[in-house]
Structures are given as C-alpha cells and as structure tokens.
Amino acid sequence: FGNHGLYAFFNQVVYQSVSGAAFSPFGNAQIGDPPYTYTFPSSAQSWAGYSALLDSPEGDSFSLNFQNGGTISFTGNTTSSTNVDLHFKFENEPYPLNTDFFSSSNITISGQTPTSYSLPIPARTNDTANYTVFLLYLLTKDAGVTLSNMFVEETPAPTPTPPATPTPTPPAESVPSLRKIFKLATKLK
C-alpha cells in the first residue's frame, strides 16, 4: 500500500499517504509509475476506482469516525489540460462486507502544476460507524491525475469548557457603602 502511516496530533487520528501510492486499483482502473498517476480509462468498469485499508506502517489497522467532521487534504495536478473530477468514499469494511459508507463531495483537479487541495468532511453526528476503508473514484474518463501528500484527518471532539467558578459575594454588612467611604475621604483632607 505504499508509504503511509498513522500519526497523532492533538488527539487527531491522521492517515497519511506521502507518495500517493497507498491506493490499489480495482475494476480495471489504472495507476502509472511514479509520480503515481491515476487514470479512469473508458475500458474500465463503471465502478472502477482505488482502495486503501487504513493501517499503520507496522501493519496495525485503525479506523476513523467523523462524528465531528474532518478533512481530506492532498497535492494534485492533471497530466494534461483536461480537468479531472474525483471524490472519496469511506466504508466500514471492504466490499462485500461493507454495511456503512459515505462519499465526500466532488472536487475538480485542474492544471498541471501541483496544487494543494482540501476537502471538508461534514460532521456525521449521528453516525457511530468506524471506517477502515478509504476509496478514490475518478469521475473523468481517460484523463490522468497525480495525487500525493494525502492526509485524512478527524476533527477531534471539542474539549468541554469547565463551568465558571462563581465569585463569592461578601455579606452586605462587610461591604462599605459609598457614603461611608466618601465621609472618610472628606475627614482625611
């Protein structure tokens, strides 16, 4: 699956594919030699794409849960003047065992110069599934796209704000009235 790993930053779980090579093609989708060019040829199956299991360099699997949302960020460029539309999908298990899944919105990769892209994952507040499979689908046929520096990040749960400690109010007898303070200041003159 390539050069990828699990990192923890401020309680966030991050999937990282440094080279972009973490995806394996299926359904006759094509992946070129470095710099990891992905192509959805006209001859491929309509369901063709690329999959990656979420695991660490040590081979430990892990899952992501997007109850607070998240972000997919990467560097991408096209290999020609044709723009490439794509989206990502998360599944709780590899097909055909997947029972929970969702797709990101579509994003357009344009230009042959490597550019940073970021795709927000909206909060899935009622979703209790843990996702272990990360999929890439190209929607534009016969046009290559290069992807690298890919990060999938969960947004951590907000830290609860502790309740404010109320400032005790002294009893009324111990608070001097302004009239007494004024009289004292007048006498001192």
Side-chain angles (χ1 to χ4, degrees):
F1 282 96
N3 186 9
H4 52 96
L6 167 68
Y7 298 85
F9 299 108
F10 307 108
N11 298 323
Q12 297 173 4
V13 176
V14 178
Y15 171 82
Q16 177 187 23
S17 167
V18 176
S19 63
F23 291 107
S24 296
F26 60 88
N28 298 323
Q30 294 179 348
I31 185 169
D33 290 326
Y36 308 107
T37 302
Y38 300 91
T39 307
F40 179 26
S42 295
S43 60
Q45 301 293 326
S46 61
W47 43 265
Y50 308 87
S51 68
L53 292 176
L54 299 176
D55 61 7
S56 70
E58 294 79 29
D60 301 323
S61 64
F62 67 95
S63 61
L64 297 170
N65 178 295
F66 298 102
Q67 287 187 330
N68 298 300
T71 306
I72 303 168
S73 57
F74 58 92
T75 302
N77 62 280
T78 61
T79 58
S80 68
S81 60
T82 303
N83 292 345
V84 176
D85 293 328
L86 59 87
H87 74 263
F88 298 94
K89 184 177 181 180
F90 293 90
E91 296 179 344
N92 68 319
E93 295 287 339
Y95 178 84
L97 302 174
N98 58 333
T99 55
D100 290 306
F101 50 87
F102 73 93
S103 295
S104 72
S105 57
N106 296 346
I107 189 167
T108 300
I109 310 304
S110 60
Q112 294 175 303
T113 302
T115 304
S116 294
Y117 292 89
S118 182
L119 190 59
I121 300 169
R124 303 180 56 77
T125 52
N126 296 323
D127 189 351
T128 59
N130 291 308
Y131 298 95
T132 61
V133 181
F134 181 42
L135 301 146
L136 162 67
Y137 289 96
L138 303 183
L139 305 174
T140 306
K141 292 188 176 188
D142 300 318
V145 63
T146 301
L147 303 175
S148 62
N149 302 316
M150 187 166 295
F151 290 86
V152 178
E153 185 174 4
E154 280 184 318
T155 301
T159 305
T161 305
T165 306
T167 306
T169 306
E173 312 78 54
S174 66
V175 179
S177 69
L178 289 177
R179 184 176 301 158
K180 287 181 182 177
I181 293 173
F182 179 74
K183 282 183 180 179
L184 179 62
T186 307
K187 286 182 181 178
L188 293 176
K189 280 186 178 182

